[in-house]
Amino acid sequence: MSGLAGVRFWRETKSRYNLTGNRCGVCGTVFFPPRPVCTRCHRESIGRMEEHKLKGTGEVLTWTFVHEPRPGFEIQVPYILAMVRLDEGPALLAQMVDCGPGEVRIGTRVHSVFRKIGEEGKSGVIYYGYKFVPD
Amino acid sequence: MVVGIVSYGACIPRYRISSEDIARVWGQNPPLIGKQLGVFSKSVPSSDEDVVTLAVEAARTAMRRSPVAGDMVNAVYVGSESHPYAVKPTAGIVAEAIGATPNLTAADFEFACKAGTAAMQSCMGLVGSGMMDYGMAIGADTSQGAPGDALEYSASAGAAAILVGKKNLIATIEHTCSYTTDTPDFWRREGQIYPQHGGRFTGAPAYFKHILACGRDLMKAVSTGPGDYKYAIFHQPNGKFPLRVAEELGFKPEQVRPGLLAPEIGNTYSAAVPLGLAAVLDIAVPGDRIFVTAYGSGAGSDAFDITVVEAINSMDRTGPSAVRSMIERKVMIDYATYAKLRGKITMGGASR
Ligand SMILES: [Zn+2]
């Protein structure tokens, strides 16, 4: 197995493992994943984007059941994919785990957990990162 | 040089399967099996949980509850017999996930069910010698017994992390000692999924001999008797052995029960003693003395004499991170779901 996908994932390890985004030093907007420039302040924010570790707490904006998984997720079907609004502002798409459909609603408070995201087959690299569980 | 525990954290997967459900599948007597083993349910990791994820969650709780920043941790050692990679350290991934990289030493330990306590001893040595300030010792496992084997009723999953240091202590470790031999009671060859065990050979010449010798050595070294301890924690391959070995050493069941988790979550292997210790630290008060003896097949025992100090009162030990909350926040699953989560179902080409 070529390690190319592994290398790409590895570059994003810091944000995937520790929910590390960044924050505009001008207006304070927080971004995840980190952005090179602030979407509000544009050129003014150049050189003023600071690394910012997110707490991993937030609430569900919307969610859906996945019955047709992407490769590597077959054993987890059916699983829940949610759009989570983090308390610092950014929204992200992530898998919800350790819960059934009755436990997730719009507005449900959630926090991040460290889980396996996928793997390159049985002999390849294993990817880890954030998923969410209800509080 | 006083060395001790700065912080600790635990992680127990949410899913459980009852011994009765397993017994039913294999045509055994369902109510009898649980009683014989003293294990009534066991924890089951989800398909996206492994030793790395359990170890990271436990270590993150330990970090969150301590005044220590990630980059102050000088060592991460993870003891397990179910590391997800044969080559590529779990410890490096954990170190990255708690923000301890890159200026630290890290390694994976293996000594059946006592690899976590061996990691604790290594951290004690490094901290005690002045080579470093803080070391994270973790015991974590997602062990499997072959379907239908007696081990299937107990082999479970969990992790506990112990942050060792000499400042900001919640408990001091007065002494540690070990007892090691070459005993073929239980093993798993490289490349094999399930372990082999020597049946009855796992009792008297293995678990009991090593724990009794090591436990007696410890009490002799610090001139104590069973009555000096509020709590006693033993390796718990089932719910019966710890109570029996405790009785032989002169401990009472009420000293053992607070740290005896096997009846509810099974045998968490390398995590068993660290999790028992975490459960006891959750409820301990300053001055409590704790007797700890781990056991790992192959075989050896590590014993610790621990005293809880005042600072434990200022640590947040309640809420969802408490061991008791994790044990109670469970979802029972049936054997079919268990087989799916544990990879016992072979998928078509899709699962690769
Ligand atoms: Zn801005």
Side-chain angles (χ1 to χ4, degrees):
Chain A
M1 185 74 63
S2 95
L4 270 184
V7 169
R8 199 179 324 126
F9 193 93
W10 176 73
R11 288 207 191 94
E12 297 164 5
T13 288
K14 197 167 189 171
S15 50
R16 286 189 198 257
Y17 278 18
N18 289 320
L19 278 170
T20 305
N22 63 359
R23 187 177 172 277
C24 171
V26 182
C27 71
T29 306
V30 175
F31 297 94
F32 184 87
R35 283 180 165 272
V37 289
C38 175
T39 50
R40 291 187 193 172
C41 308
H42 306 288
R43 289 179 61 181
E44 214 189 323
S45 68
I46 293 171
R48 300 184 62 179
M49 301 300 291
E50 305 145 0
E51 190 175 289
H52 189 83
K53 195 182 166 321
L54 293 129
K55 292 196 301 284
T57 54
E59 62 176 52
V60 173
L61 287 178
T62 179
W63 64 276
T64 183
F65 250 123
V66 178
H67 292 278
E68 291 296 326
R70 57 191 180 91
F73 283 70
E74 294 87 355
I75 198 83
Q76 297 180 44
V77 166
Y79 59 87
I80 299 171
L81 209 55
M83 181 66 80
V84 173
R85 166 80 67 199
L86 296 171
D87 290 338
E88 293 91 341
L92 51 81
L93 193 64
Q95 193 180 341
M96 294 281 309
V97 290
D98 284 6
C99 59
E103 292 168 84
V104 184
R105 290 192 170 77
I106 290 170
T108 298
R109 292 290 305 170
V110 296
H111 63 271
S112 65
V113 288
F114 192 84
R115 293 293 174 95
K116 253 168 86 167
I117 302 290
E119 58 188 6
E120 286 186 35
K122 286 293 159 208
S123 58
V125 169
I126 304 167
Y127 303 124
Y128 296 98
Y130 55 83
K131 292 186 181 180
F132 286 83
V133 296
D135 279 3
Chain B
M1 175 71 66
V2 179
V3 172
I5 298 171
V6 177
S7 184
Y8 65 98
C11 182
I12 300 169
R14 197 181 181 200
Y15 297 111
R16 306 276 185 284
I17 186 166
S18 70
S19 301
E20 289 202 13
D21 263 17
I22 299 173
R24 209 169 289 125
V25 169
W26 301 109
Q28 301 286 325
N29 182 336
L32 191 66
I33 285 277
K35 274 195 206 118
Q36 273 173 352
L37 288 169
V39 174
F40 301 94
S41 60
K42 67 167 190 171
S43 61
V44 180
S46 194
S47 57
D48 62 355
E49 289 179 298
D50 63 15
V51 159
V52 166
T53 68
L54 298 173
V56 166
E57 289 291 327
R60 281 184 172 169
T61 298
M63 295 304 293
R64 194 180 66 243
R65 300 203 283 205
S66 83
V68 179
D71 60 4
M72 291 160 73
V73 176
N74 310 111
V76 172
Y77 294 134
V78 184
S80 179
E81 59 114 74
S82 44
H83 291 289
Y85 288 98
V87 179
K88 187 182 185 321
T90 299
I93 306 173
V94 175
E96 186 77 40
I98 61 167
T101 51
N103 298 310
L104 85 161
T105 180
D108 289 353
F109 282 31
E110 193 276 314
F111 197 132
C113 296
K114 77 160 195 80
T117 51
M120 271 174 71
Q121 290 178 323
S122 299
C123 287
M124 286 175 67
L126 291 164
V127 167
S129 68
M131 273 180 71
M132 58 178 61
D133 293 328
Y134 297 103
M136 181 75 84
I138 302 170
D141 260 308
T142 57
S143 300
Q144 299 232 43
D149 187 274
L151 273 175
E152 196 186 13
Y153 294 98
S154 56
S156 67
I162 309 285
L163 184 60
V164 175
K166 50 182 181 269
K167 279 177 287 192
N168 304 304
L169 300 181
I170 58 160
T172 56
I173 306 176
E174 320 297 338
H175 190 67
T176 182
C177 64
S178 296
Y179 184 92
T180 308
T181 68
D182 175 6
T183 305
D185 58 328
F186 175 97
W187 62 90
R188 180 167 63 82
R189 292 280 300 274
E190 183 75 43
Q192 297 297 304
I193 300 171
Y194 302 115
Q196 300 278 312
H197 49 94
R200 297 200 173 274
F201 196 49
T202 55
Y207 180 91
F208 289 93
K209 175 183 154 184
H210 291 76
I211 289 185
L212 291 173
C214 194
R216 283 176 183 138
D217 284 351
L218 182 82
M219 286 192 274
K220 197 174 166 197
V222 291
S223 308
T224 54
D228 294 311
Y229 298 93
K230 177 76 183 287
Y231 302 105
I233 298 152
F234 298 97
H235 178 51
Q236 33 206 278
N238 52 54
K240 294 283 178 67
F241 279 17
L243 291 166
R244 248 168 65 199
V245 84
E247 190 182 358
E248 272 193 62
L249 282 167
F251 290 94
K252 298 193 177 78
E254 51 268 36
Q255 290 167 288
V256 182
R257 289 227 161 81
L260 182 57
L261 313 179
E264 290 160 291
I265 61 169
N267 179 6
T268 54
Y269 284 56
S270 302
V273 156
L275 269 177
L277 178 57
V280 160
L281 289 172
D282 277 348
I283 55 169
V285 297
D288 284 350
R289 202 158 177 174
I290 306 169
F291 177 92
V292 178
T293 308
Y295 172 74
S297 293
S301 270
D302 301 326
F304 302 83
D305 177 48
I306 297 170
T307 304
V308 176
V309 300
E310 197 59 39
I312 200 163
N313 284 334
S314 43
M315 175 181 275
D316 177 19
R317 295 177 286 161
T318 59
S321 299
V323 173
R324 216 0 88 188
S325 324
M326 289 183 196
I327 290 175
E328 276 152 24
R329 195 197 54 211
K330 66 181 172 193
V331 172
M332 299 304 296
I333 55 172
D334 57 17
Y335 197 90
T337 308
Y338 161 75
K340 182 182 170 194
L341 293 179
R342 295 307 275 134
K344 294 175 198 291
I345 294 177
T346 307
M347 300 289 279
S351 78
R352 292 184 289 181

